Amino acid sequence: MNPVDNNVQENIQRMVEAMPAFPRSVHKVLELTSDMNCAPKDIVETIEHDPVMTAKMLKLVNSAFYSLPRKITSMKHAVIYIGINTVKNLALSIATVGMLPAHNKADFDMSDFLLHSLVTGAIARKLSTFVNREGFDVTDFFVAGLLHDFGKVVFVQAMPETFLRAKQMVEEQGVSLIEAEQRLFGANHSQAGAILGQQWKFPEALVQAIAEHHQPDMASNVLRDCVFAANQICKSKHIGHAGNTQVEPFSTSMIQRFDCDIESLLDKLGDLQPMIDEAESFASL
């Protein structure tokens, strides 16, 4: 993450600390799964102590989002069938989506934002099947895509009038949202999202992907690259809206990563509608 001025860092930190507390059960799941030797029964017990989370997870794994051939009836069954890492990522996804404000004063459409985020996650997951995943699970790519823009939620919640001005600068002056945020907040949503991820104790690789999702030419990072590409594809196809429609070009390193440009990558992805349907299924939980 690019360095942020100390005063700005403190200001963003205060905004992040004013965000709703992350569910204790999900914190515990993240803590448990950070240990490679964690016992599946501990994950199951932690989630089952949160009946709302349990109900949403079972609804999601039995929805069109997963299209499993058999019904999953318990968290124990879910852990056995889809694995600990997927369960962790589902808990993370459900919890963060549940923290989106229903209303805001920044005139920021949360439904469009959620659709953009979910489809970016779905495309990033699909793109991960085209490259060497370097030890990451495919659901890691979905979560990174889903959460890449959550720094915008920090701005929307803490300083809605300023974020509204940033959006207006984008529309009236043609600058990127990153540039408008930098001028008005002294930092951008990538930096705010990374600080939020650290506050919520997200895995380090996820925090790094959020921090660098507009900087694909930094040190090699397959998680970040898939999120960058998925984000540009979403914007190019006008799927959802997250405050900025400018499509950033593929650099040489990105072309090398996928062995093609963005147009050819779109061809390889094929029909995006099933991923949009998946996203809408998730959003309806």
Side-chain angles (χ1 to χ4, degrees):
M1 179 169 57
N2 284 345
V4 178
D5 176 87
N6 285 343
N7 290 335
V8 173
Q9 172 89 20
E10 290 174 6
N11 193 27
I12 301 294
Q13 190 68 46
R14 281 194 291 273
M15 293 185 196
V16 165
E17 289 170 358
M19 291 285 287
F22 209 57
R24 188 175 300 175
S25 60
V26 182
H27 267 312
K28 183 66 176 175
V29 168
L30 291 176
E31 181 183 325
L32 289 168
T33 53
S34 66
D35 179 356
M36 291 179 59
N37 299 313
C38 71
K41 71 177 181 57
D42 292 338
I43 306 288
V44 171
E45 287 177 3
T46 300
I47 295 174
E48 286 183 339
H49 282 151
D50 184 337
V52 174
M53 177 61 69
T54 300
K56 287 189 174 182
M57 288 194 69
L58 290 178
K59 185 176 180 182
L60 183 58
V61 297
N62 286 302
S63 72
F65 185 77
Y66 269 94
S67 301
L68 297 177
R70 55 188 298 186
K71 187 174 178 64
I72 302 296
T73 56
S74 68
M75 285 314 306
K76 180 180 179 181
H77 193 185
V79 168
I80 293 171
Y81 203 76
I82 61 178
I84 288 175
N85 195 59
T86 300
V87 166
K88 175 201 73 176
N89 283 333
L90 285 181
L92 192 54
S93 303
I94 291 169
T96 46
V97 168
M99 299 179 84
L100 288 177
H103 307 286
N104 65 81
K105 296 178 181 176
D107 193 24
F108 192 58
D109 190 317
M110 283 297 168
S111 296
D112 275 350
F113 172 75
L114 181 56
L115 180 62
H116 168 80
S117 300
L118 286 165
V119 177
T120 297
I123 292 174
R125 181 181 59 191
K126 179 69 175 178
L127 292 177
S128 75
T129 65
F130 300 160
V131 297
N132 178 357
R133 289 197 291 275
E134 301 175 4
F136 290 109
D137 184 274
V138 290
T139 58
D140 295 330
F141 292 84
F142 173 77
V143 170
L146 171 63
L147 302 181
H148 74 284
D149 269 344
F150 258 65
K152 293 174 185 174
V153 180
V154 175
F155 290 152
V156 166
Q157 286 282 75
M159 299 179 69
E161 293 83 5
T162 308
F163 191 76
L164 179 59
R165 290 216 315 273
K167 288 200 309 162
Q168 290 168 341
M169 284 176 65
V170 171
E171 293 166 4
E172 296 167 4
Q173 301 177 26
V175 301
S176 69
L177 185 60
I178 285 272
E179 185 178 344
E181 291 168 340
Q182 203 72 48
R183 289 186 198 173
L184 296 175
F185 293 99
N188 60 59
H189 66 269
S190 302
Q191 294 163 321
I195 293 171
L196 179 67
Q198 290 167 340
Q199 172 82 11
W200 284 353
K201 301 186 187 309
F202 287 173
E204 188 176 336
L206 175 56
V207 172
Q208 187 177 0
I210 292 171
E212 298 177 0
H213 77 268
H214 283 288
Q215 299 172 289
D217 289 333
M218 295 188 73
S220 178
N221 183 325
V222 67
L223 191 60
R224 174 206 63 212
D225 288 352
C226 287
V227 171
F228 173 87
N231 188 23
Q232 306 319 313
I233 288 168
C234 254
K235 288 190 288 186
S236 73
K237 304 305 287 184
H238 307 291
I239 302 171
H241 184 60
N244 187 10
T245 58
Q246 291 184 3
V247 178
E248 297 163 52
F250 270 25
S251 62
T252 302
S253 65
M254 287 297 295
I255 291 172
Q256 288 173 341
R257 169 72 75 189
F258 295 103
D259 199 25
C260 63
D261 58 19
I262 189 169
E263 289 78 17
S264 299
L265 197 54
L266 263 166
D267 290 341
K268 287 173 71 173
L269 280 168
D271 185 7
L272 299 180
Q273 190 57 48
M275 286 184 262
I276 297 172
D277 293 342
E278 282 182 10
E280 290 174 341
S281 170
F282 193 120
S284 68
L285 280 176

